[in-house]
Amino acid sequence: MFVAVCFIGGNMAGTVEASNSDQAIGESGRADVIVHDGKFDNPATESVLITPLTGALDRGAADRAAADVTTAMKALPEVASVSDPLPSHDGGALLVRVTMSGDPETAQDRVGKLRDATAGVQRAHPELRVEETGGESIGQAMDDTLGKDFQRAEFLSLPVTFAILIVAFGALIAAGVPVLLALSSVAAALGLSTLASHLVPSTDTTASVILLIGMAVGVDYSLFYLRREREERAKGRQHLDAVEIAAETSGHAVVVSGVAVTIAMAGLFLAGDVVFSSLAVGSILVVLVSVIGSLTVLPALLSKLGRWIDRPRVPLLWRLTRPRGAAEGQSRFWSFILRPALRRPAATLAVSVLALLALAAPALTMRLSFPGMEDLPRTTPAMQAYDRLVKAYPSTGTVHTVAVRVPAGQLDATKAALTELAKTAAADPLFAPLDEAPDIEVSADGKVAVLDVATPFAGRSEEAKESLTRLREVMVPQTVGKVPGVVAGHDAAVGGFVGADVDYAGHVKEKLPLVMGFVLVLTFLVMAFTFRSVIVAVTSIGLNMLSAGASYGLVVLIFQGTWAEGILGFKSMDAVVSWLPLFLFVVLFGLSMDYHVFVVSRIREAVRQGMSTRDAVAHGITGSAGVVTSAAIVMVAVFSIFATLSTVDMKQLGVGLAAAILLDATIIRAVVLPSLMTLLGNANWWAPRFMRRREVPPAPAPVVEGELVGAGR
């Protein structure tokens, strides 16, 4: 009922999308707002490029092809106007610009007719290359490519998750319960997020993140419950008693984990970016719904199902996965893995930490950038045509947008200043020569003027960034900045891809320490008061920082170089996507806490039962290994699917998340954590007096050779 009300109510309320002003970052953001305020009529445009298949261009044949393009396009109701053919500077190409009619927002749905017309001209002129490109053609091609990618990802993620859970439980119903909880949590959170968008505007990525986080935590929380309930039944408990014990132990871990994930995601609000704020809202909602479901519906469902939870059984898998009383989890494999950490904790800790630090070291050379046109897959004809267009007409490539708020009575002076700016830039080698007279657009009310200034260099190149700096710091102040009432950088702002790239990377670098500090401090407080131990809180943060750092280093190692291009099918952008470090940190910190809380809870429980720290570590990690391994395999499998998508940003996200979870569930939880806790001994549970005032002290543990005797004093 709750899920239905949330989902239906949310759809009825509708979604409030983030506006341009909401998403404005830096000077490029101000330029976007100025352009938006001008309310320009910007129709969709396409370009038809005519080039030779080999050798020099036959101008006569090209003119005839251009005339056929003009005739074919003018006959279409989707076309408003067609420009005269424009030759390139070197005479090697001919360009026909086509302006589409109707709403630009729907132009992508109608561009197919133009492409069909272009294909018809190509068939009539086989001696030439006649091809169409433009924002709408590229958008349609990329939507088709990415649509197939995401359909494949969605099609694979659920079956893969279900298959892994069948292997983990050996029973179909037990495998289906985590998927059911996760999907219901996602459905409810999607509805709630549309309601929340009336307070915090939503973005296109919110639903995807809700699905990603919801599947991860929903499956994790169910696994915690189911494993503990089965373990208690194997010890001889009655079914309801087993469910109650699971609620008391694993339920407590779920609440703490949910709070930790919520805190991590809340840190995104400090980024001062509506995209991150929207992601924070969606993530927090799906985590809280998952926690509520784990505390209510999940134990109720387990109580109702009884022993049917273990039916129908998969014969071979059931024999391998069913718990065996007190020996549950005490496998020879995990005992072998833990042996170095328990016998030689100092050496094991030193070697493992040094290995993780070495893996994290490349993160020090991380460069941030937006993916540009050069990073899109070149498998589509539209992108191949775009490359030839930019080569023949450099002014159609990377463009800086100079947007000016025109003071009252200064329109002529502003236009003159922009004309001077265009001519000055055209004479500078950092900018493209003018193919035609400067095109200065003025809004209908005369209050906004816009000029595009092109550079022949790729958007992420140092030359493009240098051209941006020269525009902002020299050319604009010396021309438009001298118009009375215009302040360069404020009333006259430079935007475009390069400006947005530079501004956003600076924004992330500025906000990342603030977000990290917020997450670390609040996580420390939650962990300290949950486990009544300052040491556990400090080590929790340290281990998660190691995991995140190693993930950063691995992403840099893979994507800032070229050695993995053939393996993962991408073209290196020699940088990490600007938004990734901030988003990756909070997601990894939150999800890593799932495992950490669960494992440390089992260790602390064993200590309270009178075990030594070393024995408790062995008992807690081997007893939780099945849960952590199963949950990690699910997440690594789902995240790895993202690494198969076509765009480099999704590949980086998939690799970063999968690598971090894999490292966290293996090296961190099976090597670093046990060696550190064994080395610290009783000191693990130290806390100031005010924190343990209401805490029952753990039973005294026997002193074991190698532990820090009296370290808890």
Side-chain angles (χ1 to χ4, degrees):
M1 182 67 73
F2 172 75
V3 172
V5 168
C6 291
F7 190 74
I8 296 173
N11 286 332
M12 291 176 64
T15 303
V16 176
E17 298 287 347
S19 64
N20 282 4
S21 58
D22 292 327
Q23 303 183 60
I25 299 291
E27 184 173 335
S28 60
R30 290 194 292 274
D32 289 342
V33 172
I34 292 173
V35 173
H36 182 264
D37 290 346
K39 296 181 174 60
F40 290 96
D41 179 20
N42 286 322
T45 60
E46 287 285 293
S47 297
V48 180
L49 181 67
I50 302 170
T51 54
L53 293 174
T54 57
L57 179 68
D58 182 341
R59 184 57 189 269
D63 285 339
R64 289 191 293 273
D68 289 348
V69 168
T70 301
T71 301
M73 293 296 179
K74 285 184 175 179
L76 297 176
E78 291 82 8
V79 173
S81 63
V82 182
S83 72
D84 293 331
L86 176 68
S88 62
H89 277 288
D90 61 4
L94 205 60
L95 175 65
V96 178
R97 290 197 177 96
V98 180
T99 302
M100 296 184 66
S101 59
D103 185 358
E105 297 295 327
T106 63
Q108 189 171 305
D109 300 329
R110 296 178 282 113
V111 76
K113 296 289 184 65
L114 279 69
R115 296 180 63 82
D116 292 342
T118 303
V121 177
Q122 172 67 87
R123 288 191 294 271
H125 298 271
E127 74 281 6
L128 297 171
R129 183 187 290 113
V130 183
E131 51 193 346
E132 182 180 334
T133 188
E136 311 311 320
S137 295
I138 293 173
Q140 185 188 61
M142 290 312 302
D143 280 355
D144 290 343
T145 301
L146 294 179
K148 292 176 182 176
D149 279 352
F150 281 109
Q151 284 177 3
R152 186 176 71 251
E154 292 170 359
F155 177 78
L156 289 175
S157 59
L158 281 179
V160 166
T161 300
F162 191 57
I164 294 170
L165 291 174
I166 290 175
V167 174
F169 288 111
L172 297 184
I173 294 179
V177 168
V179 176
L180 180 63
L181 176 68
L183 290 178
S184 61
S185 299
V186 168
L190 286 172
L192 291 173
S193 69
T194 60
L195 295 174
S197 70
H198 293 266
L199 298 175
V200 179
S202 179
T203 60
D204 294 338
T205 54
T206 304
S208 299
V209 170
I210 288 176
L211 178 62
L212 188 73
I213 302 298
M215 290 301 296
V217 298
V219 169
D220 274 9
Y221 296 165
S222 302
L223 279 170
F224 293 170
Y225 257 91
L226 284 168
R227 281 284 188 171
R228 188 55 185 263
E229 187 268 345
R230 293 178 80 189
E231 180 182 338
E232 294 301 325
R233 277 196 288 118
K235 292 177 181 178
R237 308 276 189 184
Q238 294 297 317
H239 179 69
L240 290 180
D241 292 336
V243 173
E244 288 183 355
I245 293 173
E248 183 181 359
T249 54
S250 295
H252 180 262
V254 165
V255 172
V256 175
S257 173
V259 171
V261 177
T262 299
I263 287 173
M265 295 301 174
L268 290 175
F269 288 119
L270 298 179
D273 180 348
V274 71
V275 175
F276 284 131
S277 296
S278 175
L279 297 183
V281 169
S283 302
I284 289 171
L285 287 173
V286 77
V287 169
L288 293 180
V289 171
S290 297
V291 170
I292 294 170
S294 299
L295 298 181
T296 56
V297 176
L298 183 57
L301 188 59
L302 295 179
S303 300
K304 189 69 175 175
L305 286 172
R307 294 187 178 274
W308 275 97
I309 191 71
D310 293 330
R311 308 297 173 94
R313 298 172 179 175
V314 182
L316 177 60
L317 293 177
W318 171 253
R319 287 197 297 272
L320 293 174
T321 60
R322 67 185 179 90
R324 291 176 172 83
E328 164 70 1
Q330 306 298 326
S331 69
R332 293 180 180 178
F333 173 76
W334 283 104
S335 298
F336 173 77
I337 294 294
L338 284 174
R339 191 175 300 163
L342 299 178
R343 291 186 177 181
R344 292 180 175 82
T348 304
L349 179 65
V351 171
S352 56
V353 169
L354 286 175
L356 288 171
L357 289 175
L359 190 56
L364 298 175
T365 63
M366 182 187 292
R367 293 181 291 276
L368 301 181
S369 182
F370 275 150
M373 293 293 286
E374 60 266 38
D375 300 307
L376 295 176
R378 258 49 188 179
T379 55
T380 61
M383 287 307 306
Q384 295 165 5
Y386 172 81
D387 289 338
R388 283 187 278 268
L389 175 67
V390 172
K391 183 178 180 180
Y393 299 86
S395 62
T396 60
T398 305
V399 174
H400 303 291
T401 300
V402 182
V404 185
R405 291 193 187 277
V406 181
Q410 297 296 327
L411 180 58
D412 290 340
T414 301
K415 292 172 69 175
L418 287 173
T419 301
E420 180 186 353
L421 172 62
K423 292 179 179 179
T424 303
D428 191 309
L430 284 174
F431 299 90
L434 288 172
D435 293 319
E436 48 195 340
D439 182 14
I440 301 171
E441 291 188 83
V442 179
S443 61
D445 58 7
K447 294 182 179 179
V448 174
V450 177
L451 170 69
D452 286 339
V453 180
T455 175
F457 304 103
R460 285 195 315 276
S461 65
E462 291 303 317
E463 294 86 353
K465 294 176 182 177
E466 186 180 348
S467 68
L468 173 72
T469 302
R470 188 166 300 181
L471 263 181
R472 286 180 171 179
E473 297 181 2
V474 179
M475 294 183 176
V476 169
Q478 289 180 354
T479 54
V480 185
K482 292 183 178 180
V483 175
V486 174
V487 178
H490 188 268
D491 302 300
V494 181
F497 172 79
V498 183
D501 185 16
V502 171
D503 292 344
Y504 202 81
H507 173 75
V508 170
K509 289 178 180 178
E510 177 188 351
K511 298 297 184 180
L512 185 58
L514 180 63
V515 173
M516 291 177 68
F518 172 85
V519 172
L520 294 179
V521 169
L522 286 191
T523 301
F524 170 83
L525 294 176
V526 170
M527 296 298 288
F529 280 93
T530 297
F531 291 102
R532 302 290 177 175
S533 169
V534 172
I535 304 301
V536 167
V538 171
T539 55
S540 301
I541 289 174
L543 295 183
N544 282 345
M545 290 292 289
L546 265 179
S547 177
S551 175
Y552 282 170
L554 196 60
V555 169
V556 170
L557 195 63
I558 292 173
F559 291 98
Q560 280 190 192
T562 58
W563 65 271
E565 288 181 335
I567 301 173
L568 294 176
F570 72 96
K571 184 178 183 298
S572 175
M573 56 185 286
D574 196 31
V576 174
V577 178
S578 300
W579 53 264
L580 189 68
L582 191 57
F583 183 69
L584 200 59
F585 174 79
V586 296
V587 172
L588 293 180
F589 213 87
L591 295 182
S592 295
M593 276 299 170
D594 280 0
Y595 306 146
H596 194 81
V597 168
F598 187 68
V599 174
V600 175
S601 295
R602 296 296 296 264
I603 295 173
R604 183 168 176 260
E605 185 181 336
V607 169
R608 287 175 163 278
Q609 293 171 358
M611 290 187 186
S612 68
T613 300
R614 178 174 296 171
D615 291 341
V617 168
H619 175 82
I621 291 181
T622 55
S624 60
V627 180
V628 172
T629 303
S630 300
I633 291 174
V634 169
M635 282 200 275
V636 169
V638 172
F639 294 152
S640 296
I641 294 173
F642 281 79
T644 67
L645 303 186
S646 299
T647 57
V648 70
D649 53 347
M650 289 294 103
K651 287 183 182 293
Q652 290 188 8
L653 177 63
V655 169
L657 289 173
I661 296 299
L662 185 61
L663 289 170
D664 194 78
T666 53
I667 297 178
I668 297 291
R669 303 300 159 213
V671 181
V672 181
L673 176 64
S675 59
L676 179 60
M677 294 192 75
T678 300
L679 191 63
L680 290 173
N682 291 334
N684 282 293
W685 317 110
W686 180 86
R689 186 177 298 276
F690 75 91
M691 287 179 58
R692 44 193 167 92
R693 193 170 298 159
R694 295 189 299 272
E695 183 76 308
V696 179
V703 176
V704 180
E705 183 180 355
E707 288 194 338
L708 297 181
V709 180
R713 292 176 186 171

